């Protein structure tokens, strides 16, 4: 029977395979026949048919059916609070517990408005007997929710202190039933508090999970997050701050009636385990630290991300005030006391830029604002007997006035005040030097670890990376300012013109003008005195008043400065020892980076080449990494000599001969620098052409082995180190007397390094010259080859190309027509003129300039002549070439004079 069915099916499905048109025709006819049958079937028959078809389909065919159904019947996801009326949305939210309402407030702004309505919280507060102490105004929002949170904090704190102790009332008799009820309530409260702790542990585990690619292991420094950090996260995101008791109380209300005997046994085991863990952690870790960070610090986001688990970070506004910062700190700390207080803001060796136009120094510290501010902050820190102290991240311990500030601040607060005392070898690099409280020398410091005090707050990899990142950001801003200097100059001129016009048109208002505090105070006092008197010559009176006010202010400042006590004789620092110590520590960091370059790049590439799995050829490895090994061997010997001298350090100890010995081997650095440009171009070429090397760089760059630096950045370390050597030797020579036996060697080494620094600057200028010439070549469309010989770009000037239609008239009557905008590129041997076109981007103020080549003239064949100013033209000049003259004009006289001066100088140089 089965054979008969199969044969019938085979014959019924027969199609002419060799004749494709007949095949398609027969297929279409059969589909039409099946569809006609499908239209005549009942609903049950159709469903049966679809079921039999779908179970025979493959997964791709079923996926296609699913997509087709989604297009025909699209699934819609709507926010019910948008669709339903407001009272229905509030009625639905009234069934949520307080913890769920807090979660709903984080969904969107609309949900937050709904979840904080008083109708949702008033009933909960009234049922608990919590009433508002005042009548809310008509437009006040969320008053009952704030009352609920504040009452929960108080209740949670009371439960946490005395969870198992019944509260007795005088003259009230408790029978056995009430005692049993209180026991059951006490057991229920304890159980719910334990559940709340478990839920919070899960919440902390989710919120503190490391991002993808993080190499910090669990248990490593910075790998965990404490309750303090969770509070900081809530405060940063704008969610109200909840204490541990508040969260427990919320979970208690959410989990009422969800207990089981099995859970009680597990939770009791968790209590004993958690208690032992807490006791151990309390014994091993001190109290939390508080770190105040100014938002004026570059890359502060990177720094805050590396805060340790027991550190609370407060990011404050640089434009803020003392009272505002105190209020912010009090809201964050919630009455807690800390082991250490750190302050990271802009500052130098003598003063600290705490706020905008507010400097903290030994002279300004006695002012009432500073005294009140530091007295209140010191109350948040443990006493000095218990290890409390203040850490100032500015290098105040590196100067006498800075040490005086530390001593005055310590006297005011009663705490030890620490600050870096090393010589700055880069932006914010002084943080990584040794720290002192201004009362002992550098070698009396108990913790010789570089940046030991700073490492209390920030984990070491992040701190080192941030110090370098901050320097890069400042360099990037400087480069941006250099590139946008012309546009910023024009904008500054326009801004000053608008400000002056506003001041002349309106009344002079000191609040609207960007004046210093002293000038504003002087003008205010002068105008106040002038308004009270009748003077026939107000300008003369105001000038005399300002002169008198300036003399009185100057004498008062000198009198006050004479009262400042400098450090006494027993606090004089061994500056030579400080600088040599800084040289040793920075040399260790430099050698570690070079070692990382060799171990992370040279050794794996060489091993791959020896195992016939070459990533780079031997020639490429030799070009890029061979000089690094020679520099590493040289500096290891230099560090060994420094270590030997520091072991026997004394006032008469010498290190100049060691530095001079290093200077005699600078030929290794010379070979490296001459090969530096070739090494970078080799890296770029191999990365673009060799996929294996590209993959190798991707997995090796910016790892812990490379100190979070790339290969190109590590190759730049020797250049940075030469500049650091020069800075450190300058400081060491400055603090070495001429009669010291080490002075001659130090002076000789310093002269050698200064000459070598000039050599590096020359190489840098040559490289920048080539890059600028290449960029100019790419900028000008249709320009002939510019990179010839020793040609350099001197300057460029935007101008207007003019045309004179009446040459027969005298110069004072000639009328000029603006033909086009041009740019004049002045090189050392030629002058190139291009047509400049500005293309503005729609809906923005940004524009892009394009340059098209017009002409070029050799400077030896070029003459220039100024055009006399007239009513028709100003700031114009004529450039006469061998075949054609050009009339050009600038917008300002300064631009014309500067360009013509440079052009005349270049012509004279070419002719001579």
């Amino acid at each position: 029977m089965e054979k008969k069915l199969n044969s019938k099916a085979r014959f019924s499905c027969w199609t002419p395979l060799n004749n494709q048109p007949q095949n398609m025709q027969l297929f279409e006819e059969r589909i039409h026949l099946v569809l006609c049958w499908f239209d005549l079937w009942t609903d049950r028959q159709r469903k049966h048919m679809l079921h039999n078809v779908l179970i025979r389909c493959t997964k791709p065919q079923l996926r296609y059916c699913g997509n087709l159904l989604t297009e025909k019947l699209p699934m819609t996801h709507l926010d019910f609070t948008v669709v339903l009326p407001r009272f229905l949305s509030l009625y639905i939210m009234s069934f949520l517990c307080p913890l769920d309402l807090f979660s709903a407030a984080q969904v969107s702004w609309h949900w937050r408005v709904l979840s904080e309505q008083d109708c949702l919280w008033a009933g909960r507060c009234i049922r608990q007997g919590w009433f508002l102490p005042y009548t809310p105004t008509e437009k006040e929002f969320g008053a009952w929710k704030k009352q609920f949170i504040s009452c929960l904090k108080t209740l949670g704190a009371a439960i946490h202190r005395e969870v198992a102790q019944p509260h007795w009332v005088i003259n009230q008799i408790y029978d056995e039933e009430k005692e049993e009820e209180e026991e059951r309530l006490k057991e229920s409260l304890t159980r719910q508090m334990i559940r709340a702790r478990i839920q919070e542990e899960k919440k902390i585990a989710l919120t503190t999970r490391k991002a993808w690619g993080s190499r910090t292991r669990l248990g490593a420094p910075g790998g965990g997050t404490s309750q303090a950090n969770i509070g900081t996260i809530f405060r940063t995101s704008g969610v109200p701050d909840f204490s541990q008791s508040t969260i427990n109380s919320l979970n208690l209300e959410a989990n009422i009636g969800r207990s089981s005997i099995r859970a009680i046994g597990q939770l009791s085991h968790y209590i004993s385990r958690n208690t032992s863990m807490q006791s151990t952690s309390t014994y091993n870790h001190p109290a939390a630290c508080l770190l105040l960070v100014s938002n004026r610090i570059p890359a502060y986001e990177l720094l805050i991300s590396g805060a340790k688990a027991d550190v609370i970070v407060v990011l404050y506004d640089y434009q803020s005030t003392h009272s505002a910062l105190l209020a912010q700190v009090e809201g964050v700390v919630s009455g807690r006391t800390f082991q250490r207080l750190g302050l990271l803001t802009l500052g130098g060796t003598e003063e600290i830029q705490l706020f905008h136009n507010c400097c903290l120094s030994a002279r300004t510290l006695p002012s009432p604002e500073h005294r009140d501010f530091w007295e209140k902050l010191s109350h948040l820190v443990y006493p000095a007997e218990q290890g409390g102290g203040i850490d100032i991240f500015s290098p105040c311990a590196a100067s006498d006035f800075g040490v005086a500030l530390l001593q005055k601040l310590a006297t005011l607060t009663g705490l030890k005040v620490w600050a870096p005392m090393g010589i700055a070898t880069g932006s914010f690099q002084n943080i990584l030097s040794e720290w002192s409280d201004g009362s002992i020398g550098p070698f009396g410091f108990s913790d010789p670890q570089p940046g030991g005090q700073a490492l209390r707050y920030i984990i070491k990899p992040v701190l080192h990376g941030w110090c370098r990142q901050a320097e890069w950001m400042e360099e990037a801003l400087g480069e941006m300012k250099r590139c946008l200097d012309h546009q910023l100059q024009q904008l500054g001129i326009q801004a000053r013109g608008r400000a002056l016009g506003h001041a002349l048109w309106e009344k002079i208002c000191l609040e609207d003008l960007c004046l210093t505090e002293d000038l504003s105070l002087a003008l205010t006092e002068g105008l106040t005195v002038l308004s009270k008197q009748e003077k026939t010559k107000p300008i003369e009176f105001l000038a005399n008043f300002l002169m008198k006010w300036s003399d009185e202010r100057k004498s008062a400042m000198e009198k006050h400065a004479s009262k400042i006590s400098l450090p006494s004789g027993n606090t004089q620092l061994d500056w030579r020892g400080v600088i040599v110590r800084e040289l040793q520590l920075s040399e260790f960091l430099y050698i570690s980076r070079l070692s990382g370059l060799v171990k992370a790049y040279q050794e794996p590439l060489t091993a791959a080449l020896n195992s016939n799995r070459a990533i780079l050829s031997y020639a490429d490895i030799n070009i890029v990494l061979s000089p690094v090994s020679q520099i590493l061997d040289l500096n290891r010997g230099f560090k060994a000599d420094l270590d030997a001298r520091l072991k026997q350090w004394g006032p008469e100890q010498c290190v100049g001969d060691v530095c001079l010995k290093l200077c005699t081997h600078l030929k290794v650095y010379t070979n490296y620098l001459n090969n530096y440009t070739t090494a970078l171009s080799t890296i770029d070429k191999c990365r673009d052409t060799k996929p294996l090397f590209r993959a190798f760089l991707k997995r090796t760059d910016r790892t812990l082995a490379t100190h979070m630096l790339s290969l190109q950045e590590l190759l730049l370390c020797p250049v940075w180190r030469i500049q650091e050597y020069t800075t450190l030797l300058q400081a060491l020579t400055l603090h070495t007397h001429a009669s010291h036996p080490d002075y001659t060697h130090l002076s000789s080494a310093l002269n050698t390094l200064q000459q070598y620094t000039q050599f590096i600057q020359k190489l840098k200028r040559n490289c920048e010259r080539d890059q600028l010439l290449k960029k100019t070549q790419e900028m000008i469309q249709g320009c002939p080859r510019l990179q010839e010989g020793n040609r350099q770009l001197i300057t460029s000037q935007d101008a207007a190309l003019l045309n004179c239609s009446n040459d027969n008239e005298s110069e004072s009557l000639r009328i000029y027509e603006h033909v086009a905008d041009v740019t004049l590129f002045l090189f050392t041997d030629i002058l190139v003129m291009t047509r400049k076109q500005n293309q503005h981007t729609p809906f923005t103020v940004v524009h892009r300039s394009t340059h098209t080549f017009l002409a070029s003239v050799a400077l030896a064949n070029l003459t220039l002549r100024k055009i006399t100013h007239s009513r028709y033209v100003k700031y114009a000049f004529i450039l006469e070439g061998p075949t054609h003259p050009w009339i050009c004009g600038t917008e300002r006289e300064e631009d014309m004079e500067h360009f013509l001066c440079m052009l005349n100088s270049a012509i004279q140089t070419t002719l001579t």
Side-chain angles (χ1 to χ4, degrees):
M1 187 67 179
E2 185 177 357
K3 283 187 176 182
K4 291 181 181 179
L5 290 175
N6 291 338
S7 62
K8 290 180 180 180
R10 184 171 65 252
F11 285 115
S12 64
C13 297
W14 175 84
T15 55
L17 298 177
N18 296 330
N19 193 344
Q20 189 67 21
Q22 280 190 353
N23 189 353
M24 292 301 299
Q25 180 181 359
L26 187 59
F27 178 73
E28 293 293 337
E29 291 176 357
R30 289 174 176 173
I31 286 182
H32 180 69
L33 181 60
V34 171
L35 293 178
C36 292
W37 292 344
F38 190 86
D39 293 337
L40 297 176
W41 289 340
T42 62
D43 180 75
R44 182 178 180 181
Q45 292 173 337
R46 291 182 180 183
K47 292 179 180 178
H48 184 67
M49 175 64 182
L50 291 174
H51 175 74
N52 291 330
V53 171
L54 291 176
I55 61 177
R56 287 173 171 81
C57 293
T58 61
K59 289 184 178 180
Q61 294 169 354
L62 292 174
R63 193 177 297 111
Y64 171 78
C65 295
N67 295 335
L68 188 61
L69 289 174
T70 303
E71 293 178 1
K72 295 295 183 181
L73 297 173
M75 298 178 62
T76 57
H77 302 276
L78 295 177
D79 185 359
F80 72 94
T81 61
V82 179
V83 180
L84 296 178
R86 184 185 181 91
F87 73 95
L88 287 180
S89 300
L90 292 174
Y91 178 72
I92 294 174
M93 286 190 174
S94 65
F95 292 96
L96 299 178
C97 65
L99 185 62
D100 294 335
L101 286 175
F102 287 131
S103 301
Q106 303 178 17
V107 174
S108 64
W109 177 255
H110 186 234
W111 280 54
R112 180 181 178 182
V113 172
L114 292 177
S115 62
E116 293 183 356
Q117 292 297 318
D118 291 338
C119 62
L120 298 178
W121 297 96
R124 288 180 169 83
C125 292
I126 294 173
R127 283 195 299 269
Q128 301 293 336
W130 302 333
F131 298 92
L132 286 176
Y134 65 99
T135 302
T137 59
E138 183 180 355
K139 297 183 179 180
E140 188 171 357
F141 179 73
W144 284 98
K145 180 181 178 181
K146 295 177 183 178
Q147 177 70 7
F148 185 87
I149 294 173
S150 62
C151 293
L152 273 182
K153 286 184 178 180
T154 307
L155 178 62
I159 294 176
H160 184 71
R161 290 192 305 266
E162 199 174 0
V163 66
Q165 180 178 355
H167 298 271
W168 297 93
V169 182
I170 301 177
N171 299 329
Q172 184 175 359
I173 301 175
Y174 287 87
D175 53 6
E176 295 181 358
E177 295 181 357
K178 289 186 177 180
E179 291 180 357
E180 292 177 359
E181 183 178 357
E182 288 178 358
E183 290 294 332
R184 288 194 298 270
L185 179 60
K186 179 183 65 177
E187 182 181 357
S188 177
L189 290 175
T190 307
R191 182 168 58 251
Q192 300 304 330
M193 288 177 61
I194 296 171
R195 287 186 177 181
R197 290 181 183 178
I198 293 180
Q199 290 183 3
E200 185 181 1
E201 290 290 335
K202 293 180 180 179
K203 186 186 300 182
I204 292 176
L206 291 176
T207 55
T208 60
R209 185 180 61 182
K210 292 294 182 179
W212 181 86
S214 175
R215 300 180 180 271
T216 306
R217 298 174 297 177
L218 292 176
T225 303
S226 66
Q227 178 185 350
N229 280 359
I230 293 298
T232 305
I233 294 172
F234 276 111
R235 286 186 292 275
T236 305
S237 59
V239 182
D241 183 21
F242 302 107
S243 62
Q244 177 68 34
S245 59
T246 308
I247 299 177
N248 291 339
S249 302
L250 293 176
N251 291 333
L252 182 148
E253 184 173 343
N255 297 324
I256 289 179
R258 305 175 189 173
S259 59
S260 63
I261 299 177
R262 180 180 179 183
I264 293 176
Q266 296 176 354
L267 296 176
S268 62
H269 172 70
Y270 173 81
I271 284 180
S272 59
R273 183 175 62 87
N274 195 25
T275 305
S276 62
M277 291 175 62
Q278 288 180 356
S279 61
T280 305
S281 62
T282 305
Y283 179 79
N284 292 334
H285 299 282
C289 300
L290 179 64
L291 178 62
L292 308 181
V293 181
S294 171
N295 63 353
R296 189 68 183 273
I297 294 296
Y300 63 84
E301 299 89 353
L302 175 63
L303 188 71
I304 294 176
S305 66
K308 289 189 175 181
D310 58 346
V311 175
I312 296 180
V313 181
V314 177
L315 180 66
Y316 72 91
D317 189 5
Y318 184 70
Q319 304 292 335
S320 182
T321 59
H322 292 87
S323 58
L325 179 56
L326 280 175
Q328 183 180 0
V329 172
E330 290 174 358
V332 171
V333 301
S334 301
R336 283 172 290 184
T337 309
F338 300 91
Q339 185 81 20
R340 309 288 301 183
L341 171 65
L343 175 63
L344 177 56
T345 183
L346 300 179
T349 57
E350 298 182 1
E351 61 182 14
I352 302 171
Q353 292 287 342
L354 189 59
F355 302 107
H356 180 65
N357 291 334
C358 180
C359 297
L360 177 64
S361 62
R363 180 177 60 86
T364 61
L365 182 60
S367 63
E369 292 183 352
H370 285 297
R371 290 183 63 88
D372 183 66
F373 175 75
W374 286 105
E375 286 176 354
K376 291 182 179 180
L377 277 184
S378 61
H379 294 161
L380 304 177
V381 187
Y382 287 162
E385 296 78 11
Q386 301 181 14
I390 301 175
D391 300 315
I392 307 294
F393 282 65
S394 299
C396 294
S399 68
D400 294 339
F401 285 99
V403 172
L405 171 62
L406 298 183
Q407 293 179 350
K408 287 179 176 293
L409 192 59
T411 305
L412 176 63
T413 59
L415 303 170
K416 283 190 175 181
V417 184
W418 297 81
M421 61 186 306
I423 302 300
T425 56
S427 179
F428 298 99
Q429 293 296 311
N430 44 65
I431 296 177
L432 303 179
S433 63
E434 294 182 359
W435 289 53
S436 172
D437 63 347
S439 61
I440 56 176
F443 302 101
F445 182 47
S446 59
D447 186 6
Q449 185 181 9
Q453 297 296 109
L455 294 177
R456 292 175 180 265
Y457 304 89
I458 312 297
I459 59 177
K460 186 175 181 180
V462 174
L463 183 63
H464 283 263
W466 172 78
C467 290
R468 180 61 61 185
Q469 184 74 12
E471 183 177 2
W472 290 342
M473 289 191 66
E474 290 189 350
E475 291 180 359
L477 291 176
E479 183 68 19
M480 184 182 299
K481 181 181 181 300
R482 186 183 66 83
C483 296
L484 300 177
D485 186 43
H486 179 71
Q487 297 184 14
L488 292 176
Q489 185 179 10
Q490 297 294 332
L491 292 175
I493 294 173
Q494 295 176 7
R496 288 195 296 270
R498 291 174 182 174
L500 181 59
H502 178 75
L504 295 177
W505 185 259
E506 303 290 342
K507 297 180 180 179
I508 297 178
C509 184
L510 297 177
E511 296 178 356
D512 296 337
L513 297 179
C514 297
L515 303 177
T516 61
E517 184 178 0
D518 294 339
L519 183 57
S520 300
L521 181 61
L523 290 176
T524 303
E525 292 181 3
L527 293 176
T528 302
V529 175
L530 182 61
S531 62
K532 296 180 180 178
Q533 300 179 5
E534 295 181 0
K535 297 292 182 179
T536 57
K537 297 180 179 180
I539 302 299
E540 183 179 355
F541 170 78
L542 186 60
N544 295 331
F545 177 85
L546 292 178
M547 290 294 297
K548 183 179 179 181
W549 187 89
S550 177
D551 295 336
E552 293 177 356
R553 183 67 174 240
K554 184 177 180 181
S555 61
M557 291 178 61
E558 291 176 354
K559 182 178 179 181
H560 183 72
S562 62
K563 297 180 180 179
I564 298 177
S565 59
L566 293 177
S568 58
N570 59 352
T571 60
Q572 292 295 330
L573 301 179
D574 182 12
W575 287 109
R576 297 187 74 251
V578 171
I579 299 169
V580 175
R581 184 75 173 180
E582 175 68 19
L583 179 62
Q584 181 199 33
L585 295 177
S586 57
E587 187 70 17
F588 173 77
L589 178 62
Y590 174 57
I591 290 176
S592 64
R593 289 176 178 173
L594 292 182
S595 302
L597 184 61
V598 173
K599 293 180 181 179
Y601 294 97
Q602 186 174 9
E603 293 180 358
L605 291 175
T606 306
L609 182 64
N610 296 334
S611 61
N612 295 327
R613 297 179 180 178
I615 300 176
L616 284 182
S617 63
Y618 176 78
D620 293 336
I621 297 176
N622 191 32
I623 291 174
V624 176
L625 298 171
S626 177
V628 178
S629 302
Q630 302 175 10
I631 294 177
L632 182 59
D633 296 337
L634 174 63
N635 284 87
R636 281 174 175 169
F638 176 64
K639 184 179 181 301
D641 295 338
L642 282 179
D643 295 340
R645 298 297 173 89
L646 279 174
K647 288 181 180 178
Q648 302 176 356
W649 184 255
E652 300 297 325
Q653 184 63 271
C654 298
V655 293
D657 54 340
V658 177
C659 298
L660 193 60
K661 178 182 176 182
L662 175 67
C663 294
T664 57
H665 295 84
L666 289 179
K667 185 178 179 181
V668 178
Y669 280 88
T670 304
N671 296 333
Y672 175 82
L673 294 174
N674 291 330
N675 184 65
Y676 177 67
T677 306
T678 306
L680 290 183
S681 59
T682 302
I683 293 173
D684 296 336
K685 181 188 68 176
C686 294
R687 186 186 64 243
D688 296 337
T689 58
K690 298 182 178 181
L692 290 177
F693 183 64
R694 184 164 56 249
F696 173 77
L697 289 180
K698 188 174 182 180
R699 65 174 178 266
T700 308
D701 282 348
R702 303 189 184 280
T703 57
L704 294 178
T706 63
H707 296 264
M708 304 307 294
L709 300 174
S710 63
L711 176 58
Q712 292 85 348
E713 294 165 353
L714 287 172
L715 291 177
L716 192 56
C717 287
V719 181
W720 293 336
R721 190 55 182 166
I722 293 296
Q723 298 174 356
E724 293 175 358
Y725 283 148
T726 306
T727 303
L728 291 170
L729 284 186
Q730 283 177 346
L732 189 58
T733 306
L734 179 63
H735 291 281
T736 302
H737 196 267
S739 60
H740 196 280
D742 199 22
Y743 183 80
T744 305
H745 293 301
L746 285 177
S747 301
S748 179
L750 179 59
N751 292 333
T752 304
L753 284 174
Q754 287 177 343
Q755 295 176 3
Y756 201 80
T757 303
Q758 295 177 0
F759 167 69
I760 295 176
Q761 294 298 328
K762 182 180 178 181
L763 292 179
K764 184 178 180 181
R765 287 193 300 268
N766 293 337
C767 183
E768 291 177 351
R769 178 198 65 188
D770 297 338
Q771 294 294 330
L772 183 59
L773 202 61
K774 183 179 179 181
K775 183 179 180 181
T776 307
Q777 179 78 54
E778 296 174 353
M779 184 193 312
I780 304 174
Q781 301 176 5
C783 182
R785 179 177 174 80
L786 297 176
Q787 297 173 325
E788 295 180 356
N790 295 325
R791 180 177 295 164
Q792 301 180 25
L793 177 63
I794 300 177
T795 185
S796 62
Q797 177 61 49
D798 294 335
L801 185 62
L802 307 178
N803 183 25
C804 181
S805 58
N806 48 356
D807 295 338
N808 299 326
E809 299 288 343
S810 62
E811 290 189 356
S812 60
L813 298 178
R814 290 178 184 176
I815 299 177
Y816 296 88
E817 180 186 2
H818 187 177
V819 178
D821 292 330
V822 296
T823 302
L824 303 174
F825 292 91
L826 178 59
F827 296 88
T828 52
D829 57 343
I830 62 171
L831 177 68
V832 177
M833 179 181 295
T834 63
R835 180 187 295 273
K836 181 182 178 181
Q837 294 179 342
N838 293 328
Q839 298 177 357
H840 290 266
T841 305
F843 305 105
T844 63
V845 297
V846 181
H847 69 274
R848 182 173 61 90
S849 300
T850 59
H851 299 270
T852 306
F853 177 77
L854 288 180
S856 63
V857 184
L859 296 183
N861 301 326
L862 182 65
T863 58
L864 59 93
R865 179 171 58 89
K866 289 184 180 180
I867 298 177
T868 306
H869 295 346
S870 66
R871 59 183 299 182
Y872 301 107
V873 66
K874 284 186 178 181
Y875 319 135
F877 53 92
I878 299 177
L879 300 174
E880 295 182 357
T883 59
H884 192 279
W886 294 277
I887 304 174
C888 301
T890 61
E891 294 184 357
R892 299 191 306 157
E893 185 179 5
E894 294 83 357
D895 295 340
M896 183 188 70
E897 294 296 339
H898 174 72
F899 178 73
L900 293 185
C901 180
M902 301 293 290
L903 181 57
N904 277 320
S905 177
I907 292 175
Q908 294 298 328
T909 304
T910 304
L911 294 178
T912 56

